[in-house]
mmCIF file of all heavy atoms in Angstrom:
data_model
loop_
_atom_site.group_PDB
_atom_site.id
_atom_site.type_symbol
_atom_site.label_atom_id
_atom_site.label_comp_id
_atom_site.label_asym_id
_atom_site.label_seq_id
_atom_site.Cartn_x
_atom_site.Cartn_y
_atom_site.Cartn_z
ATOM 1 N N VAL A 282 17.517 -2.634 -5.133
ATOM 2 C CA VAL A 282 18.978 -2.249 -5.138
ATOM 3 C C VAL A 282 19.666 -2.367 -3.744
ATOM 4 O O VAL A 282 20.694 -2.974 -3.552
ATOM 5 C CB VAL A 282 19.164 -0.827 -5.808
ATOM 6 C CG1 VAL A 282 20.603 -0.430 -5.722
ATOM 7 C CG2 VAL A 282 18.698 -0.733 -7.176
ATOM 8 N N GLU A 283 18.859 -1.789 -2.778
ATOM 9 C CA GLU A 283 19.276 -1.868 -1.421
ATOM 10 C C GLU A 283 18.215 -1.634 -0.474
ATOM 11 O O GLU A 283 17.315 -0.917 -0.852
ATOM 12 C CB GLU A 283 20.648 -1.184 -1.183
ATOM 13 C CG GLU A 283 20.457 0.347 -0.996
ATOM 14 C CD GLU A 283 21.879 1.005 -0.645
ATOM 15 O OE1 GLU A 283 22.309 0.931 0.475
ATOM 16 O OE2 GLU A 283 22.354 1.739 -1.570
ATOM 17 N N GLU A 284 18.263 -2.129 0.758
ATOM 18 C CA GLU A 284 17.337 -1.822 1.760
ATOM 19 C C GLU A 284 18.004 -1.738 3.123
ATOM 20 O O GLU A 284 19.130 -2.235 3.240
ATOM 21 C CB GLU A 284 16.286 -2.886 1.782
ATOM 22 C CG GLU A 284 16.798 -4.248 1.973
ATOM 23 C CD GLU A 284 15.589 -5.220 2.008
ATOM 24 O OE1 GLU A 284 14.696 -5.141 2.899
ATOM 25 O OE2 GLU A 284 15.508 -6.059 1.139
ATOM 26 N N GLY A 285 17.407 -0.966 3.980
ATOM 27 C CA GLY A 285 17.962 -0.863 5.370
ATOM 28 C C GLY A 285 17.084 0.082 6.206
ATOM 29 O O GLY A 285 16.019 0.546 5.693
ATOM 30 N N THR A 286 17.576 0.485 7.376
ATOM 31 C CA THR A 286 16.864 1.510 8.101
ATOM 32 C C THR A 286 16.860 2.858 7.481
ATOM 33 O O THR A 286 17.712 3.010 6.572
ATOM 34 C CB THR A 286 17.503 1.727 9.492
ATOM 35 O OG1 THR A 286 18.837 2.183 9.234
ATOM 36 C CG2 THR A 286 17.635 0.341 10.268
ATOM 37 N N PRO A 287 15.914 3.686 7.787
ATOM 38 C CA PRO A 287 15.892 5.005 7.171
ATOM 39 C C PRO A 287 17.330 5.656 7.253
ATOM 40 O O PRO A 287 17.783 6.374 6.280
ATOM 41 C CB PRO A 287 14.902 5.827 7.967
ATOM 42 C CG PRO A 287 13.987 4.770 8.434
ATOM 43 C CD PRO A 287 14.760 3.521 8.671
ATOM 44 N N GLU A 288 17.988 5.545 8.407
ATOM 45 C CA GLU A 288 19.300 6.171 8.563
ATOM 46 C C GLU A 288 20.380 5.514 7.569
ATOM 47 O O GLU A 288 21.091 6.323 6.850
ATOM 48 C CB GLU A 288 19.812 5.947 10.034
ATOM 49 C CG GLU A 288 21.175 6.645 10.130
ATOM 50 C CD GLU A 288 21.670 6.842 11.569
ATOM 51 O OE1 GLU A 288 21.327 5.855 12.372
ATOM 52 O OE2 GLU A 288 22.243 7.845 11.881
ATOM 53 N N GLN A 289 20.338 4.224 7.431
ATOM 54 C CA GLN A 289 21.167 3.618 6.471
ATOM 55 C C GLN A 289 21.026 4.053 5.074
ATOM 56 O O GLN A 289 21.957 4.340 4.309
ATOM 57 C CB GLN A 289 21.114 2.034 6.468
ATOM 58 C CG GLN A 289 21.783 1.361 7.767
ATOM 59 C CD GLN A 289 21.293 -0.063 7.922
ATOM 60 O OE1 GLN A 289 20.190 -0.439 7.433
ATOM 61 N NE2 GLN A 289 22.043 -0.839 8.752
ATOM 62 N N ILE A 290 19.746 4.136 4.617
ATOM 63 C CA ILE A 290 19.549 4.426 3.238
ATOM 64 C C ILE A 290 19.708 5.969 3.010
ATOM 65 O O ILE A 290 20.231 6.344 1.977
ATOM 66 C CB ILE A 290 18.043 3.995 2.857
ATOM 67 C CG1 ILE A 290 17.947 2.372 2.990
ATOM 68 C CG2 ILE A 290 17.685 4.423 1.407
ATOM 69 C CD1 ILE A 290 18.884 1.648 2.142
ATOM 70 N N PHE A 291 19.142 6.869 3.826
ATOM 71 C CA PHE A 291 19.131 8.220 3.556
ATOM 72 C C PHE A 291 20.407 8.884 3.862
ATOM 73 O O PHE A 291 20.943 9.827 3.224
ATOM 74 C CB PHE A 291 17.917 8.906 4.336
ATOM 75 C CG PHE A 291 16.600 8.581 3.766
ATOM 76 C CD1 PHE A 291 15.604 8.175 4.559
ATOM 77 C CD2 PHE A 291 16.380 8.666 2.353
ATOM 78 C CE1 PHE A 291 14.342 7.807 4.073
ATOM 79 C CE2 PHE A 291 15.159 8.379 1.878
ATOM 80 C CZ PHE A 291 14.134 7.977 2.774
ATOM 81 N N LYS A 292 21.186 8.371 4.871
ATOM 82 C CA LYS A 292 22.432 9.026 5.387
ATOM 83 C C LYS A 292 23.578 8.281 4.737
ATOM 84 O O LYS A 292 24.582 8.918 4.327
ATOM 85 C CB LYS A 292 22.607 8.895 6.890
ATOM 86 C CG LYS A 292 21.940 10.090 7.569
ATOM 87 C CD LYS A 292 22.632 10.327 8.974
ATOM 88 C CE LYS A 292 21.919 11.440 9.703
ATOM 89 N NZ LYS A 292 22.073 11.230 11.186
ATOM 90 N N TYR A 293 23.542 6.943 4.711
ATOM 91 C CA TYR A 293 24.759 6.213 4.228
ATOM 92 C C TYR A 293 24.356 5.227 3.182
ATOM 93 O O TYR A 293 24.614 3.950 3.273
ATOM 94 C CB TYR A 293 25.405 5.419 5.410
ATOM 95 C CG TYR A 293 25.559 6.320 6.621
ATOM 96 C CD1 TYR A 293 24.802 6.154 7.758
ATOM 97 C CD2 TYR A 293 26.646 7.253 6.575
ATOM 98 C CE1 TYR A 293 24.956 6.913 8.935
ATOM 99 C CE2 TYR A 293 26.862 8.055 7.727
ATOM 100 C CZ TYR A 293 26.052 7.907 8.891
ATOM 101 O OH TYR A 293 26.255 8.768 9.923
ATOM 102 N N PRO A 294 23.747 5.682 2.006
ATOM 103 C CA PRO A 294 23.401 4.692 0.941
ATOM 104 C C PRO A 294 24.735 4.176 0.415
ATOM 105 O O PRO A 294 25.658 4.847 0.287
ATOM 106 C CB PRO A 294 22.740 5.626 -0.055
ATOM 107 C CG PRO A 294 23.154 7.003 0.163
ATOM 108 C CD PRO A 294 23.439 7.054 1.717
ATOM 109 N N LYS A 295 24.710 2.762 0.188
ATOM 110 C CA LYS A 295 25.836 2.082 -0.269
ATOM 111 C C LYS A 295 26.050 2.084 -1.766
ATOM 112 O O LYS A 295 27.251 2.218 -2.303
ATOM 113 C CB LYS A 295 25.795 0.617 0.174
ATOM 114 C CG LYS A 295 26.020 0.366 1.667
ATOM 115 C CD LYS A 295 26.453 -1.106 1.873
ATOM 116 C CE LYS A 295 26.272 -1.584 3.278
ATOM 117 N NZ LYS A 295 24.977 -2.110 3.641
ATOM 118 N N HIS A 296 24.919 2.006 -2.490
ATOM 119 C CA HIS A 296 25.116 1.830 -3.910
ATOM 120 C C HIS A 296 25.055 3.177 -4.678
ATOM 121 O O HIS A 296 24.290 4.038 -4.240
ATOM 122 C CB HIS A 296 23.949 0.999 -4.391
ATOM 123 C CG HIS A 296 24.050 -0.416 -4.018
ATOM 124 N ND1 HIS A 296 24.534 -1.473 -4.816
ATOM 125 C CD2 HIS A 296 23.962 -1.074 -2.701
ATOM 126 C CE1 HIS A 296 24.528 -2.590 -4.169
ATOM 127 N NE2 HIS A 296 24.282 -2.404 -2.965
ATOM 128 N N LYS A 297 25.718 3.299 -5.739
ATOM 129 C CA LYS A 297 25.742 4.497 -6.502
ATOM 130 C C LYS A 297 24.479 4.921 -7.033
ATOM 131 O O LYS A 297 23.976 5.969 -7.056
ATOM 132 C CB LYS A 297 26.766 4.329 -7.637
ATOM 133 C CG LYS A 297 26.863 5.561 -8.427
ATOM 134 C CD LYS A 297 28.241 5.748 -9.159
ATOM 135 C CE LYS A 297 28.330 7.070 -9.734
ATOM 136 N NZ LYS A 297 27.268 7.837 -10.236
#
Side-chain angles (χ1 to χ4, degrees):
V282 176
E283 73 179 288
E284 57 180 295
T286 62
E288 181 167 38
Q289 283 167 342
I290 299 299
F291 291 128
K292 274 203 181 152
Y293 309 107
K295 287 200 193 94
H296 289 255
K297 181 155 191 327

